[in-house]
Amino acid sequence: MKTSNLGHPRIGAHRELKRACEKYWSDRTPLEDLIEMGKSIRKENWKLQQGKGIDLIPSNDFSFYDQVLDTTLMVGAVPERYTNLQTSDNSLLDLYFAMARGLQKQGVDVIAMEMTKWFDTNYHYIVPEFTKDQEFGLLSLKAVEEFKEAKSLGIHTKPVLLGPVTYLLLGKEKEEGFHRLDLLPKLLPVYHSILERLSDAGATWVQFDEPVLATDLSDKGKRAISQVYRGIAETFPNLKTLLAGYFGDYGNNLDTVIELPICALHLDLKKGPDQLDRVLSSSKLNERLSLSLGVIDGRNIWKNDFASSLRLIQQAKRQLGQERTIISPSCSLLHVPYDLGLEKNEKVLSKEIKDWMAFAKEKLEELRSLKKLALSPDFESHQLFLDNVASMQRRRSSGLIHRSMVKQRVGQLDKTDYHRKSPFEKRKVLQESELRLPLFPTTTIGSFPQTKEVRRNRSLFKKGDLNEGQYVEYLKNETKKAISLQNEIGLDVPVHGEFERNDMVEYFGEQLEGFTFTQNGWVQSYGSRCVKPPIIYGDVSRPRPITVFWSSFAQSLTEKPVKGMLTGPVTILQWSFVRDDQPRSSTCEQIALAILDEVLDLEKEGIGIIQVDEPAIREGLPLRKEDWGHYLDWAIGAFRLSTSGAKDSTQIHTHMCYSEFNDIIKGIAGMDADVITIECSRSQMELLDAFHEFDYPNDIGPGVYDIHSPRVPSEEEILKLLQKAGKVLPASKLWVNPDCGLKTRGWEETKNALKVMVSAAQQMRKAVGQP
């Protein structure tokens, strides 16, 4: 019996990689320092796993930005606009970062590649771009170099490669006339080249990640899977291949994968616990195939229930034997924090709740414990098992979890609580009369730069070195500056800037009951961007107003309508670690009622525009279409519950991040937000096609510049995007805004970009005859 880890967090226990990358990007440290930090983190991760007795330790799971972009570089699928950046060996990492972030420096001005969500997680990846005559060639040997690097430390690893079918399907065709899977014959030789080098370096196991196997693969996709892994088995008979699908079960792809000539098949038994029965009872099960049992949750922080996991392990062990049984997390541990042991402050995370939890380091220990118990003939009397049973019971019986008033309020809801009083057409007339905005109204998505000074003052306040009065006065001054700047620039709908907020979800969770937090529970979202997800452990309610003071204060500083900024219930749910003892839909309804209370209080204070952000609606969508209906019913319902109590004259906005909307556009329309803002600039307004084809009834603000890139767009660039949008949507429906919040940008670039954006909007008004 073996233990296997599919991947480990890579930002460093104290976000060392984040800081190293940002120092390099701002020219404060040389490339060599960044490279050394990468080596240090990899060594620490490998040594940790070796110390925990993990049998199959991954390599090439580390990334300076994103594993999909790593693969793009490996196979040489560099878009043409970046080819001039390849000037020396040292520039390969700079080329990589330019593809991820764009580059505007020393006469070079190239935009970044598109970014979108990694399946149904809050991790983002850089989308590969393919042309009909796409060529591939081995460009980066990172996978081989990191295998050798671990080997030099005395650690024999299992290299991890993103599978070629998933890689192609995650990309986009940048021209018509072909399907990206048609490129497979050109791509496979590059994979074979890297496998040959890994084999020569002494690799015995290679893990291929094919999470598309948890989706509805077409017949063409299934044939591609067979072609890839039959070809690898034939060409590299001595390499042991572990095929890893995760984020769901194999569904109707099971017959395809179970017949493959692979050595091990990974099963995500947290997302698809019933699939073990299907696999073990299949007449096609290869008698030599090992099963990797993903019994430890790689996406949540709750302690593993040993009794439940051991039932599955023993079931597999009885039929396969212990030699063909591998114990694993459900997916890479990339999605959970590093080390629960770093949580020292019981005022932040109570000892009682901490007892219910496990981070990446603890999950490695759980792997070791499960293996030990699974090999023990009397595991039920083993102290490891008894301690785990006691912990599970303490959680179930805790008085912290259930609140009768919350449950009672949810139980009293009826259909009218999920609908606005009047249809959009009537609401729009009232809102136009109240707000008196021009055509192409300009606004931002909410946040303004969170400078070092803002973060420093927040830290001083939390440490007690700044009293509440001093901190509030500081935040008032920052808000005044933000409102003054927006008035100066000419934005039609200003925002207060969110200087009091550490994170769009964490800030709300801190003020809701049923949530708890960590000091060091950081998780990578994309690149150097890390989030510290709240933990929902019990019933949720709002004891007091959350945002009303700051929105009201900002409104007192300007005659223009200030937009109140809230985070929506689905996003709070998706971007938190959620309790697993009741349906997610029930928890989401509780959060929706808390947000509704905030909406009504903002209205009472005269805030006439309220944005309820739901960037996570699309990411929560199940990976198989047969499950979409149930999810959309409760997710869209939760948004409507949080906003439908608003007056007709109150304009409700929502915002969504990088998402493909074509397949759920009916659900998006069902949200019935008066205005939806979406990220469109990296896709060059492609996302608007779905809204046009559907004849989306409400107003839309397609993002006109990319806030994830440090470059400042030109007015011509924004005008072209707005003109493109104007060809598919009427001027009366169009808003003008950046792609997303401006929290991560600097003030100078923010000011310059917004000036350009406002000027472009003014040009659009002139073009349609409005002064």
Side-chain angles (χ1 to χ4, degrees), residues 136-253:
F136 299 100
L138 188 56
L139 181 59
S140 167
L141 292 173
K142 174 180 176 293
V144 181
E145 290 163 354
E146 291 185 7
F147 173 80
K148 290 179 177 179
E149 185 181 322
K151 195 174 180 181
S152 71
L153 297 170
I155 303 172
H156 192 88
T157 59
K158 168 195 56 169
V160 179
L161 298 175
L162 180 62
V165 178
T166 293
Y167 174 69
L168 288 174
L169 289 177
L170 290 178
K172 276 191 172 181
E173 299 96 345
K174 301 307 287 186
E175 58 187 0
E176 296 180 355
F178 78 107
H179 189 282
R180 51 201 182 278
L181 282 180
D182 297 337
L183 302 174
L184 191 58
K186 288 184 175 181
L187 179 62
L188 283 181
V190 184
Y191 270 82
H192 283 211
S193 294
I194 206 78
L195 290 174
E196 184 177 0
R197 285 165 171 78
L198 285 170
S199 182
D200 290 345
T204 51
W205 279 93
V206 177
Q207 175 182 316
F208 291 90
D209 284 358
E210 292 281 13
V212 292
L213 288 165
T215 68
D216 297 313
L217 269 189
S218 65
D219 289 341
K220 185 171 187 172
K222 293 174 185 176
R223 288 193 298 270
I225 289 286
S226 293
Q227 178 187 349
V228 168
Y229 295 100
R230 291 185 187 281
I232 288 172
E234 184 178 331
T235 310
F236 302 96
N238 295 322
L239 269 183
K240 295 180 179 179
T241 53
L242 189 159
L243 180 62
Y246 41 79
F247 301 151
D249 63 26
Y250 288 103
N252 59 9
N253 301 320

Side-chain angles (χ1 to χ4, degrees), residues 305-308 310 373 379-390:
D305 181 347
F306 284 181
S308 176
L310 285 165
L373 292 169
F379 69 83
E380 290 182 335
S381 62
H382 198 291
Q383 196 60 47
L384 281 173
F385 183 79
L386 294 174
D387 289 346
N388 182 264
V389 169

